[in-house]
Amino acid sequence: MKTTRRTAFVAAITALVVSLAGCSMGKPQASASASDSKTLTVWSMNGDLSPEVLNEINARFTKETGAKVKLEMHDWDGITTKVTTALTTSTPPDVIDVGNTQVSGYAANGGLLDLTSHKSDLEQGQTWVKGLEDSATYDGKLYGVPGLLAPFAVLYNKKIWADAGITTVPTTYDELEKDLDAIKAKHADDSSFSAFYLCGQDWYSALQWIWNDGGNIAKQSGSKWSGSLESEDSVTGVSDWKAFQNKYSAPASRTLATDSPDQTQIFADGKAATIIAPSSSIGTAVNLKSQVTKDDIGSFAIPGKDGKPQPTFTSGSDWVIPAKSAKSDLAIKWVKIAASPDIQENYVFPKQFLNPNTVEGNEHIMKSSAMTDSLKGYVDSAKAAVSTPMAAGWLKVEGNKVMETYFSSVASGTSTPQQAGEKTDAQLNDLLNQ
């Protein structure tokens, strides 16, 4: 997971398939020699857990086991190549922080330790958020442990909404559209203003409409995956999204990505009353040359047609253990501490405002003194988190920007929802099964 809490990297996936094919890596290797058996190597990603949180985990681990931790921080750019290479060596790191949509690609080729028999112990009496648990599971087996959750929710500028006469968040989809109509009318003279800024390539957000109408990206039957974007429910969902996007977001946004131009900057400049973004965007918006303060920002989960929050894309990270780690027993102990309720509720959330990995943890933080209006919507969104297809080929789908092309073609009108669905399903049928 990047600091934007969105992108799972796909570079070197071909190398992963070639390098790991035929390798027997499903079991832990022999114990390490005495010289290095007391040092655990952990790879963590810049932008995920902070040094303060990681230091607390390491201190607890050392106190419990007597072992030390060699912590290595890595950037997201190029990390897939590094992980791919590490998984093929005889001395990989013992624990790796990976983006949640990456797990299936590594697990499918035998690179990760099967943690299924440890699941109950790792859950520690809690219930992992379903979207995170799903993303850590491949072919019915657990290969990752949810490390953190960064769900998407609506961020809105309270001042702009209040200027249009709106002081409470919508609780139904009809109310949302009514509120946005009022905001749009208030700014009718500004063609660059968006009542709700949505980029055409922003598939993470757009999926909410498809899921809410009962559609999906793809379905699995046995070992085979098939695209389902041309299904009636998916076509209805993407049609609803197109109508919403075209009506409330500036026309220029229909073919754009969220970072070009940066949608958080647009929000900070007061050119958008509303966006969908991860909680990290709150601090970013305030720290930019901005017209908004933290107190100006509120959040809510988009209400679906059924009155419940729309299902949201699961953004987060998982801890995985390479199958070739010689210290898998120690690695499991470290991961258990990192995923523990105390670390999640008393460090991950109050120190970084990232959601805990469990249902109970998200209920707990609602009562926390650190909870603010700008964070409440993320708890509701966390409960409705949904994962992308756990197919080994999903990394290739992201690498080829299949979903970006699909949604932007619909938003811009270059393809009808049905045409785009049929074309994209043909790509999914190929890529997901590779």
Side-chain angles (χ1 to χ4, degrees), residues 122-146:
L122 292 168
E123 286 179 316
Q124 300 168 76
Q126 305 283 292
T127 304
W128 285 330
V129 171
K130 186 178 185 302
L132 275 182
E133 181 179 347
D134 288 348
S135 70
T137 304
Y138 176 75
D139 199 22
K141 297 179 181 179
L142 183 73
Y143 288 98
V145 176

Side-chain angles (χ1 to χ4, degrees), residues 295-310:
D295 291 337
D296 293 332
I297 302 174
S299 69
F300 62 87
I302 291 185
K305 293 179 179 179
D306 59 0
K308 299 177 182 178
Q310 282 188 346

Side-chain angles (χ1 to χ4, degrees), residues 215-365:
N216 214 328
I217 301 171
K219 294 183 179 180
Q220 185 179 21
S221 178
S223 61
K224 184 177 178 61
W225 286 89
S226 58
S228 57
L229 293 173
E230 62 191 286
S231 70
E232 183 178 350
D233 288 340
S234 293
V235 169
T236 299
V238 77
S239 298
D240 288 345
W241 168 79
K242 171 184 168 65
F244 188 94
Q245 196 277 342
N246 283 188
K247 184 176 183 180
Y248 298 118
S249 191
S253 67
R254 294 174 188 176
T255 58
L256 297 178
T258 57
D259 58 353
S260 183
D262 182 6
Q263 70 165 9
T264 308
Q265 183 70 67
I266 293 171
F267 180 74
D269 290 341
K271 285 295 186 178
T274 324
I275 59 174
I276 293 179
S279 59
S280 57
S281 294
I282 299 171
T284 302
V286 173
N287 291 330
L288 291 169
K289 292 181 179 179
S290 179
Q291 296 186 23
V292 298
T293 67
K294 189 174 182 179
D295 291 337
D296 293 332
I297 302 174
S299 69
F300 62 87
I302 291 185
K305 293 179 179 179
D306 59 0
K308 299 177 182 178
Q310 282 188 346
T312 56
F313 171 77
T314 302
S315 177
S317 290
D318 295 321
W319 296 108
V320 299
I321 300 173
K324 285 188 174 182
S325 168
K327 288 167 271 189
S328 59
D329 288 346
L330 283 176
I332 289 171
K333 291 180 179 179
W334 190 95
V335 168
K336 181 178 178 179
I337 293 170
S340 67
D342 187 37
I343 290 293
Q344 292 287 316
E345 296 169 15
N346 298 316
Y347 287 86
V348 173
F349 174 70
K351 303 295 183 182
Q352 295 187 252
F353 301 116
L354 296 170
N355 288 63
N357 57 1
T358 66
V359 173
E360 294 85 353
N362 280 281
E363 292 174 350
H364 172 82
I365 64 172

